[in-house]
Amino acid sequence: MFPVSGSKKIKGGVFVVEYRSFGMLATLPRSLGDELRPYTGHAAAAMIKQVQRSVAAYSQPLRGVFGRVLVVSCERAVRHYVDCIGDADLPHDRWIDFYRMRGRIEFTEGRSLEPLHDSATIGARTAWRAMRPIVRGLGVSAGVIALAAESVFVYVDELCATTIDGYQEAEAKAAGAVPLRRRRLLELIAQAPDGSACSIGGLAGGAGWRVPATAAMVALQRAPGAPEFPAHLLDDTVLLDLDSADPYLLTADPDTDLAPLKDALDGWRVAVSPVVPLADAPAALRTARRALRLTSEDAPGPVIWCRDHLATLWLLAEDFLGAEMAKRSLDPFTSLSEKQQERLSETLLAWLETRGGAPEIAQRLGVHPQTVRNRLRQLEELFGDRLRDADDRLGMQLALRAQRLMRAHRRDEERGN
């Protein structure tokens, strides 16, 4: 990584931001900044347009304080980035003060950190796309282009962290600042942790929470009439959101942290994702919520450990994928009646899982061996050489297992209704 000798540490309201990007930019040739300066307005305009198109919270007309702040934020971000190129002595205090003020405005206007982070990330990509052809056209080395590209995203991450500093300063003046920070932190991790380590670190500092390398996401489901969730039994290291429509929590050590809940989940069901790197938290939360949907409410015990059902969750990850696999792998069945398909499907799956003879499959299915022989002959006529191809057999087996799981899930839902 780039050395930090040329960067600064500026104390904000509740945490420290280390501005590594300023040192990176200072090592680039000053002439690059001179060449890019005439294009800063074009890059800022492209940023504003793309942010308004992509982030719903900023899609309103550019009028009043909102319009001025958004336009000036984008223009100042691009201009200061270019001014830093090749200039190790450029002052940054006014830039820092401005983006801390931007954070205070975001909090005052009631926006969460998600649109702020999204707008910064989208803006950075847009600005780099606008500037990249110009940089390449200048004939600079590949090393300079690579450093310029890396510095864009380091710069934006530090801009986000500075804005969060101001956001948290405003929060600190409001009641319940720390619980609110913890919820904002959980939202950020659950929605977009990739590329936002600095932002997460900043929020974590203000929330008194140590960022773990890995964590599990836990989806919660409350039965009608159930008492409040026993949050008081959880350690302070657990982040929790009980107010959303689909409540959830994050824990770095699910086996230890959830143990006190074992006999206290009256009317609650929970699904625990595998422990994953923090960047995979959004996918882990989707997996835990899928486990709740796919598991019957009369399943033994209120806690579902996804690690014990990985194959099922993978096979049923997306309904359309299972249907597409069945269409491709089991297409000879389309000419048969539904009853014929069901009989031959169970026989084909039994054969694929055991590769046994008619007597063994008959015993497994509870039918006569001659019935199995007849069905196997039908399968040979329908599938032919595909039964001898390993890839085809794997596709058939996965498709049949997915169908079986989906039928069982539908039956559970019908019983529940």
Side-chain angles (χ1 to χ4, degrees):
M1 299 298 289
F2 191 85
V4 298
S5 57
S7 57
K8 300 180 180 180
K9 288 187 178 180
I10 309 294
K11 283 194 176 181
V14 291
F15 70 100
V16 173
V17 181
E18 186 171 335
Y19 293 97
R20 189 169 65 95
S21 62
F22 299 154
M24 296 172 68
L25 290 166
T27 66
L28 292 170
R30 186 185 289 260
S31 59
L32 177 61
D34 295 337
E35 294 286 351
L36 291 176
R37 195 163 287 109
Y39 302 97
T40 56
H42 166 69
M47 287 172 63
I48 295 166
K49 183 177 180 180
Q50 190 60 42
V51 165
Q52 287 212 290
R53 181 185 300 161
S54 306
V55 184
Y58 299 128
S59 62
Q60 58 187 288
L62 293 172
R63 292 197 292 262
V65 174
F66 166 80
R68 289 195 300 274
V69 169
L70 181 58
V71 170
V72 173
S73 294
C74 292
E75 291 176 346
R76 186 168 289 196
V78 178
R79 189 167 59 247
H80 192 75
Y81 173 87
V82 171
D83 288 345
C84 287
I85 295 175
D87 189 350
D89 299 320
L90 185 74
H92 307 293
D93 292 348
R94 292 182 64 185
W95 181 93
I96 292 166
D97 289 344
F98 174 82
Y99 286 103
R100 292 186 69 231
M101 179 195 70
R102 170 74 190 276
R104 292 193 292 272
I105 291 173
E106 292 295 299
F107 177 80
T108 301
E109 295 191 352
R111 283 187 287 271
S112 71
L113 290 168
E114 181 188 1
L116 179 64
H117 178 269
D118 288 347
S119 66
T121 304
I122 290 166
R125 292 197 199 103
T126 304
W128 177 242
R129 280 198 300 268
M131 293 288 201
R132 184 172 52 191
I134 302 163
V135 175
R136 287 180 172 173
L138 297 175
V140 296
S141 69
V144 168
I145 294 176
L147 181 57
E150 181 186 1
S151 67
V152 167
F153 297 99
V154 175
Y155 176 86
V156 168
D157 202 21
E158 291 167 356
L159 183 152
C160 280
T162 304
T163 309
I164 288 172
D165 191 2
Y167 194 102
Q168 291 187 164
E169 183 183 23
E171 275 187 331
K173 296 176 182 178
V178 170
L180 183 56
R181 283 185 200 137
R182 289 172 67 88
R183 180 167 174 180
R184 299 294 193 205
L185 175 62
L186 180 58
E187 288 176 356
L188 185 58
I189 293 171
Q191 291 161 352
D194 191 22
S196 60
C198 193
S199 301
I200 290 172
L203 267 179
W209 189 72
R210 185 175 180 178
V211 181
T214 59
M217 304 300 289
V218 182
L220 311 176
Q221 185 179 71
R222 183 181 190 176
E228 293 296 319
F229 186 80
H232 63 283
L233 298 176
L234 297 173
D235 190 86
D236 285 344
T237 58
V238 176
L239 298 180
L240 184 67
D241 181 0
L242 292 176
D243 296 325
S244 66
D246 297 303
Y248 65 103
L249 62 85
L250 177 152
T251 165
D253 185 359
D255 291 283
T256 300
D257 290 338
L258 301 182
L261 302 178
K262 182 179 178 183
D263 299 317
L265 291 171
D266 183 19
W268 286 85
R269 298 172 66 234
V270 306
V272 189
S273 81
V275 175
V276 299
L278 215 58
D280 292 330
L285 182 56
R286 290 194 298 272
T287 298
R289 285 173 171 164
R290 187 181 304 120
L292 278 182
R293 291 196 305 270
L294 295 175
T295 307
S296 171
E297 293 187 9
D298 57 6
V303 181
I304 304 156
W305 294 90
C306 294
R307 65 195 180 198
D308 298 332
H309 307 279
L310 293 178
T312 298
L313 292 168
W314 176 58
L315 284 172
L316 299 180
E318 297 289 352
D319 291 347
F320 84 92
L321 288 177
E324 185 65 22
M325 180 173 286
K327 184 164 53 175
R328 291 177 177 273
S329 298
L330 306 176
D331 54 297
F333 283 164
T334 56
S335 61
L336 305 179
S337 68
E338 186 175 340
K339 196 167 186 180
Q340 287 175 310
Q341 288 186 37
E342 186 174 343
R343 287 197 299 261
L344 289 178
S345 290
E346 69 175 8
T347 304
L348 177 57
L349 182 57
W351 177 77
L352 289 167
E353 289 178 340
T354 66
R355 300 301 297 276
E360 182 181 350
I361 296 172
Q363 184 176 11
R364 179 170 179 160
L365 299 179
V367 298
H368 194 277
Q370 187 56 44
T371 300
V372 172
R373 293 188 187 96
N374 292 336
R375 292 181 186 177
L376 290 175
R377 278 195 294 272
Q378 284 181 272
L379 291 169
E380 177 68 33
E381 292 171 2
L382 289 167
F383 289 91
D385 290 340
R386 290 170 63 179
L387 295 175
R388 288 173 282 282
D389 183 279
D391 290 337
D392 280 331
R393 289 198 304 271
L394 177 60
M396 294 173 201
Q397 188 169 356
L398 292 174
L400 289 165
R401 285 194 174 191
Q403 286 185 342
R404 183 171 65 183
L405 290 167
M406 189 54 68
R407 281 196 297 269
H409 176 54
R410 281 197 292 265
R411 285 195 296 270
D412 288 340
E413 286 186 325
E414 290 167 3
R415 281 199 297 268
N417 292 335

